[in-house]
Each structure stands twice: as structure tokens, then as C-alpha cells.
Amino acid sequence: MSSDPEAAAAAERQLCGLVNGLSRQIEEHVRERAATLGLTGPQATALRELTGPMTMRDLADRMSCEPSNATFVVDKLEKRGLVERRPHPQDRRAKQLVLTPDGTELRDRLLELLTKDSPLAALDQDEQDTLQGLLLRARSLH
Amino acid sequence: MSSDPEAAAAAERQLCGLVNGLSRQIEEHVRERAATLGLTGPQATALRELTGPMTMRDLADRMSCEPSNATFVVDKLEKRGLVERRPHPQDRRAKQLVLTPDGTELRDRLLELLTKDSPLAALDQDEQDTLQGLLLRARSLH
DNA sequence: CTAGAACTATTCAAGCTGCAACCATTGCAG
DNA sequence: CTGCAATGGTTGCAGCTTGAATAGTTCTAG
């Protein structure tokens, strides 16, 4: 079966579908939990990725999206007083994103919600490690 | 390390980011190739999933999206004469999607483009198999 | 020093997506 | 047969996302 190139291609396509499907499943999970805090899915993703002060570009990279999109999402968070845009200490082009007290508090509550019933809970620790290794390898040679 | 629940939760969050990242990477790959045929990413995904006659609901499931979205995308494909909405033979509520000759021809060209330089080519056959197993397990108990 | 390439962030237009509301049809319980 | 819940598809709306164009800043070669 692994010798038939056409079958291998079809298997690879199916694999892409599985990855995308799991990704949507994860995003739906985030959306669901985020809604209970009055956040949209992407807003919650941004909050989750804001592990500390960082630039817009950093956040965009972590969210795997375009910088213009990060602008859009951060606008919402800023309007709700969860995050602040400060001038970057070293680079006047850049801005430094910092969570407000409200932001850190909401982020903590969000993280707690997200760890409960994660879609990846079906996998045990060993499997998660294997998965992480494979994904890192797949992503490395983009 | 696997005994610290907080670290495990953080690792799980990172894993979610990896899955989403790889998914975007795949979709970007599709977008790129699709553009050379004058198709958008989602249009190409729909075409790829149209392996034969199916209903709108079936297509939406295969695309991991809402039926309303399938309506939107199929509208585009239909306007370009790639697919046809026929009344379903058994169920008058449903519609049967069928590729036109132009549609099948374009789909063949698309599949050929997609199999070249897939983002998953970094993984060998064994790794792809284990990945598929893990993803199936993760998705099964949604 | 200076011109130009490269980078950060933003704006805008166009397109994608999910959700809730809706109509028509189906299937089932009474 | 009738009522009614469930299903397939569409519509409208709000929100997300990308890609191109732009302004300001940094870096580098000459």
C-alpha cells in the first residue's frame, strides 16, 4: 500500500483533512469556553498567547496570522481594557503589548477553562509527546 | 515533569498552538496552489472534497464547516460552472452536487498541484501513519 | 551623511466563517 | 390523518482573515 504513489497521495490528503478537522475542533472548544467570558474565539486565542510583554508581530506569529489581523483583535481587547499598547523601549516602530490587571485576571480564568475537557485529553502523556515531536518536525521545514 | 499538572497544561496549550499552526500552514499551501488556477483556498478545499455526488451537508462535514458556509462556497463554484446543484433523487429537501466536465478537469489539475511539495512531506511514511493514528484517536471522542 | 532596502504597525477592501432565524420536507407518534 | 420534532438548505448578520497600500522607523552600503 505504501508502494502505490496514488494511494499515498490520497492518504496524505486525508491526513491534511484530519489536521484541519482537529484544528477546527480545538478552535470550537476555545470559542465555546471563551463565550462564557464574553470573548470571541480569536480574542481568547490572543489572550492565551499573551504569556508576557511582546510586540504585535510576536503575537501575530504566535496566533499564526497576519499582523493586520493582530491589529484588529488587539483593538477589541484594548477597548475592553484588557491589554495596553505601550511604546517599545528599544524600537520606536514597535509597540509593546502589556496585560492590564483586568487582563491578567481574565486570562487566568480563561486558562483554567481551557484546560478542562481539552480535545487533546483523549491522548495520554506519551501520545502527546509523540504528537508534539511529529508536529515540530512537520513545521520545521516549512 | 509529567507529574506537574501545571506544566502538563502548558504543554497541552502549546500542542494546540502547534496543531493550529500546521493547519494554517496546510491551508496556506492550498491557497497558494489554488491561486494559480484562479481559485480561492476554500473553493479549492471544496473541489478537493467533492470526490463524487454528495449533498450540501456531506460537503460541509468534509470541509469541517457550517452548512451556511458550504452554501457560500458552492455558489462561487456554481457561478463558474464547475459544479451543479441537482434535485436529490430520493429526498426533495436535499440537493445533489455534481461536478461538470469543467469541474472534473479542474479538480484533476488541482489534485496534481496539491500533492507536490505538501507540507507533510517532511514526514516519512511511518511517521505519517503514526500521526494519522493519533489524530484519529484525538478526533474520535470529540 | 545619505539613499535605499527592510521592518513594524496600521488602514482598507474583499472575501471567509459561524450563528441564529427561517422555509420546506421528512419521519414518527398518537 | 394530524401534529410535531428533526433534518436539509438558505439568508442575514456580525465578526474574522488576508493581501495590498501606506506612514514611520531602523539598518546598511556607499
Side-chain angles (χ1 to χ4, degrees):
Chain A
M1 44 184 74
S2 62
S3 55
D4 180 353
E6 191 172 342
E12 200 172 297
R13 275 198 300 279
Q14 193 199 350
L15 203 47
C16 289
L18 276 174
V19 175
N20 287 335
L22 181 57
S23 174
R24 310 246 174 162
Q25 195 172 320
I26 290 173
E27 279 169 357
E28 189 182 339
H29 177 255
V30 173
R31 234 191 331 266
E32 237 170 47
R33 307 301 158 124
T36 70
L37 299 178
L39 293 168
T40 68
Q43 285 167 23
T45 304
L47 207 52
R48 163 167 63 99
E49 294 301 329
L50 275 171
T51 52
M54 65 182 68
T55 71
M56 297 291 291
R57 159 66 69 183
D58 288 338
L59 180 60
D61 285 344
R62 278 169 160 275
M63 292 178 67
S64 310
C65 72
E66 299 297 313
S68 57
N69 193 14
T71 297
F72 179 84
V73 176
V74 169
D75 278 349
K76 309 291 183 192
L77 296 181
E78 197 177 27
K79 194 162 291 184
R80 272 191 59 173
L82 300 174
V83 70
E84 238 180 283
R85 271 186 249 233
R86 298 189 188 163
H88 192 282
Q90 277 84 40
D91 190 338
R92 276 183 304 167
R93 291 172 300 186
K95 290 173 185 172
Q96 197 172 38
L97 300 174
V98 196
L99 287 178
T100 64
D102 277 6
T104 36
E105 195 257 350
L106 193 61
R107 179 169 188 271
D108 288 344
R109 282 207 282 155
L110 174 67
L111 292 190
E112 198 174 353
L113 283 179
L114 288 185
T115 47
K116 261 186 278 198
D117 308 325
S118 160
L120 275 58
L123 305 178
D124 61 33
Q125 194 59 47
D126 268 359
E127 291 174 316
Q128 287 193 22
D129 290 345
T130 323
L131 181 57
Q132 176 169 11
L134 288 173
L135 294 181
L136 281 174
R137 248 174 73 62
R139 294 216 54 187
S140 58
L141 359 158
H142 67 285
Chain B
M1 44 189 71
S2 64
S3 55
D4 181 353
E6 192 172 340
E12 198 172 298
R13 277 199 298 277
Q14 192 197 351
L15 203 46
C16 289
L18 277 174
V19 174
N20 287 336
L22 180 57
S23 173
R24 309 246 175 158
Q25 195 173 320
I26 291 174
E27 279 169 356
E28 189 182 340
H29 176 256
V30 172
R31 238 193 326 266
E32 235 170 48
R33 310 299 159 125
T36 70
L37 300 178
L39 292 169
T40 68
Q43 284 166 25
T45 305
L47 206 52
R48 164 167 62 94
E49 294 302 328
L50 275 171
T51 52
M54 64 181 67
T55 69
M56 297 292 291
R57 159 65 68 183
D58 287 340
L59 179 60
D61 286 345
R62 276 169 162 274
M63 294 178 66
S64 310
C65 73
E66 298 298 311
S68 59
N69 194 11
T71 298
F72 179 84
V73 175
V74 169
D75 278 349
K76 311 290 183 191
L77 296 181
E78 197 176 27
K79 194 162 294 185
R80 274 192 57 175
L82 301 174
V83 70
E84 239 179 282
R85 270 186 249 233
R86 298 191 187 160
H88 192 282
Q90 278 83 40
D91 190 338
R92 275 183 306 167
R93 291 172 302 183
K95 290 172 185 173
Q96 198 172 38
L97 300 174
V98 197
L99 287 178
T100 64
D102 277 5
T104 34
E105 196 258 350
L106 194 61
R107 179 169 188 272
D108 288 345
R109 283 207 283 155
L110 174 66
L111 291 190
E112 197 173 355
L113 283 180
L114 288 185
T115 48
K116 263 187 276 199
D117 307 324
S118 161
L120 274 57
L123 306 178
D124 62 32
Q125 193 60 47
D126 268 359
E127 291 174 315
Q128 287 193 22
D129 288 346
T130 43
L131 180 57
Q132 175 168 13
L134 288 174
L135 293 179
L136 282 175
R137 247 174 72 64
R139 295 215 54 186
S140 58
L141 2 157
H142 68 284

